[in-house]
Amino acid sequence: MIKNIKKVAVLGSGIMGSGIACHLANVDMEVLLLDVVPKGKESEKNKKARNSLVDLYLMNSVKSKPSPLFTKSKLKNISTGNFTDDFEKIKEYDWIIEVVVERLDVKKIIFEKVDQFRKKGTLVSSNTSGIPINSMLENRSEDFKNHFFGSHFFNPARYLRLLEIIPTNHTKKETIDFMTNFGERILGKSSVLCKDTPGFIANRIGVFAIQELFHTVKEMKLSVGEVDLLTGPIMGRAKSATFRTCDVVGLDTLIHVANGLKTNCPKDERNNVFEIPDFVQKMKENNWLGSKSGQGFYKKSKDENGKRNILELDLSTLEYSNKQKSKFETIFKAKKIENLQERMKVLFNGKDRAGEFYRKIFAGIFSYSACRIPEIS
């Protein structure tokens, strides 16, 4: 019987790994954050040099805004190490979370080592955003299988409340019941039980929504700026809205997930929506992937006076230009309404292009979500 979790080992210190480690530290878990020894440092005897990668990633996460930590003092709850020197330490931990690169072959190597060193009864989970959870269990021990599941956090881990819990065919019910409760009571999450289907729930619905939006934008000839105006704070979402969020996530990541869903969901009645639009394909060819490549749907620039400016991409010409102010009567009316529920009614019933956009987008998402029951949840 699982009674409590006090110590957690996080394997992988990238954006998600460090973010998860920080949030666990926020609730006073004792956290061990591990990653690979940096290339060229393998022969170093200096422990600091061998841990330089994990320490760098953790510090980058701590410095990010909004802060992943409640207070800086919570950082003391995290210790760092590397896969070469410190892997055996995981035997002292109650929960081991894998957050390495999204490659099944790499995850299997990690889990082979985890199975070697973990103590019986230790919880083990993967933070994968879409790789089938059952596919990671080949050659694993029975106790490993009984305590293994998917635990999909969302970035940034401190602020996004959703936690997807995905059991395998072997996971004990008590394991899932405990983790669902722990996620809500201790981690402050909304724990959602998912089936082990492509993209689980959030990415299956979310990627459908963004892909359908890509097609709708082209059809309605809406600009990048107009869409971000329509899909940001006015409808209760973050300022990054749609296209700024795409730039942060990385267009290559979105394309990879969409292609995976198109391939792995052949019987999906809306499978054609996962087809990559021509303008997105061209952006990938140009390496306009977003923040990581310096430009995507938006690009920073300076005018002749050295003043910084943000240009937006014209989806028809694929040229960058200054952002144009957009005006919609529906938005003007909705801004006067503080209550989001009442505001949404105004948006949905708008008589201009904004109202038409909302009806197209919401009707598509609601219909698609309804058709996924009980397939994915």
Side-chain angles (χ1 to χ4, degrees):
M1 175 67 71
I2 306 159
K3 293 184 178 179
N4 201 0
I5 293 175
K6 294 183 178 179
K7 301 174 71 173
V8 186
V10 179
L11 310 181
S13 64
I15 293 173
M16 275 310 306
S18 291
I20 292 170
C22 285
H23 189 58
L24 294 168
N26 284 335
V27 292
D28 291 324
M29 298 286 116
E30 184 180 325
V31 183
L32 174 65
L33 182 62
L34 302 180
D35 213 319
V36 296
V37 174
K39 288 184 178 179
K41 304 288 186 182
E42 293 88 352
S43 61
E44 287 267 8
K45 293 184 179 180
N46 185 321
K47 189 74 189 298
K48 190 172 182 180
R50 291 167 71 81
N51 287 353
S52 57
L53 185 70
V54 64
D55 289 336
L56 173 65
Y57 285 160
L58 177 59
M59 284 304 103
N60 284 344
S61 180
V62 170
K63 292 174 185 176
S64 65
K65 294 181 180 179
S67 174
L69 294 171
F70 291 168
T71 63
K72 287 184 179 179
S73 64
K74 297 293 183 181
L75 189 59
K76 72 178 186 300
N77 294 328
I78 304 174
S79 58
T80 59
N82 63 75
F83 291 161
T84 304
D85 303 317
D86 305 296
F87 211 98
E88 191 174 348
K89 291 179 181 178
I90 67 169
K91 66 185 179 184
E92 302 166 11
Y93 288 76
D94 308 310
W95 179 19
I96 301 160
I97 311 175
E98 169 273 311
V99 203
V100 300
V101 64
E102 283 287 79
R103 280 178 47 187
L104 181 58
D105 59 334
V106 176
K107 292 180 186 295
K108 283 184 173 181
I109 291 170
I110 291 293
F111 288 132
E112 183 177 3
K113 290 189 70 174
V114 170
D115 209 358
Q116 178 185 349
F117 292 112
R118 66 181 280 276
K119 65 176 182 283
K120 282 191 174 184
T122 299
L123 300 179
V124 185
S125 68
S126 173
N127 187 66
T128 179
S129 59
I131 295 176
I133 304 300
N134 280 281
S135 68
M136 303 177 193
L137 291 176
E138 187 179 3
N139 299 323
R140 298 285 57 82
S141 67
E142 197 61 31
D143 188 79
F144 184 105
K145 292 177 180 179
N146 291 162
H147 295 89
F148 181 70
F149 55 96
S151 59
H152 185 205
F153 290 81
F154 290 78
N155 187 34
R158 173 184 170 186
Y159 297 93
L160 296 193
R161 290 194 62 189
L162 179 60
L163 173 61
E164 291 186 318
I165 304 292
I166 312 103
T168 72
N169 298 332
H170 302 271
T171 315
K172 284 185 177 180
K173 184 178 183 297
E174 67 181 60
T175 300
I176 297 304
D177 290 345
F178 171 84
M179 182 47 59
T180 301
N181 181 57
F182 182 85
E184 294 187 345
R185 188 169 56 87
I186 305 299
L187 301 183
K189 300 299 179 185
S190 294
S191 299
V192 175
L193 191 64
C194 307
K195 290 185 177 179
D196 193 10
T197 55
F200 313 130
I201 296 176
N203 279 344
R204 182 74 175 273
I205 302 298
V207 174
F208 168 84
I210 188 68
Q211 282 288 123
E212 187 177 51
L213 187 143
F214 282 161
H215 295 297
T216 301
V217 166
K218 193 79 185 290
E219 176 191 328
M220 293 186 65
K221 294 184 170 61
L222 289 165
S223 72
V224 165
E226 285 175 329
V227 171
D228 277 358
L229 173 66
L230 295 171
T231 59
I234 192 66
M235 57 180 290
R237 293 182 179 173
K239 289 182 180 179
S240 56
T242 297
F243 288 114
R244 287 188 190 279
T245 299
C246 289
D247 277 354
V248 171
V249 171
L251 202 60
D252 52 341
T253 301
L254 291 170
I255 291 171
H256 174 74
V257 177
N259 284 337
L261 290 172
K262 183 166 181 60
T263 301
N264 296 315
C265 303
K267 295 181 180 179
D268 190 314
E269 77 283 354
R270 300 298 306 279
N271 182 274
N272 63 308
V273 171
F274 296 113
E275 193 74 47
I276 305 301
D278 54 355
F279 69 88
V280 174
Q281 195 62 48
K282 189 65 179 175
M283 289 175 69
K284 182 187 177 186
E285 292 170 10
N286 291 345
N287 200 41
W288 297 347
L289 304 178
S291 303
K292 67 176 75 175
S293 64
Q295 66 187 92
F297 291 105
Y298 293 96
K299 181 172 78 168
K300 293 179 181 178
S301 71
K302 290 183 180 180
D303 61 21
E304 59 273 13
N305 298 317
K307 185 179 179 182
R308 299 180 109 188
N309 192 18
I310 296 178
L311 306 178
E312 68 177 51
L313 186 67
D314 185 313
L315 301 181
S316 299
T317 65
L318 291 184
E319 294 178 353
Y320 289 93
S321 60
N322 290 318
K323 185 177 178 181
Q324 302 297 315
K325 283 193 175 182
S326 304
K327 292 184 179 180
F328 295 102
E329 181 65 23
T330 295
I331 299 296
F332 178 75
K333 290 179 180 177
K335 279 184 175 179
K336 298 177 181 178
I337 302 171
E338 188 171 337
N339 182 279
L340 182 60
Q341 188 173 350
E342 294 303 316
R343 192 193 312 156
M344 292 301 287
K345 294 177 184 177
V346 173
L347 297 177
F348 191 82
N349 291 302
K351 305 299 181 186
D352 55 4
R353 280 203 309 158
E356 181 187 354
F357 170 81
Y358 288 121
R359 286 188 290 276
K360 278 179 178 285
I361 292 301
F362 286 126
I365 294 174
F366 295 155
S367 171
Y368 188 73
S369 299
C371 289
R372 301 281 66 78
I373 302 169
E375 178 193 350
I376 67 176
S377 66

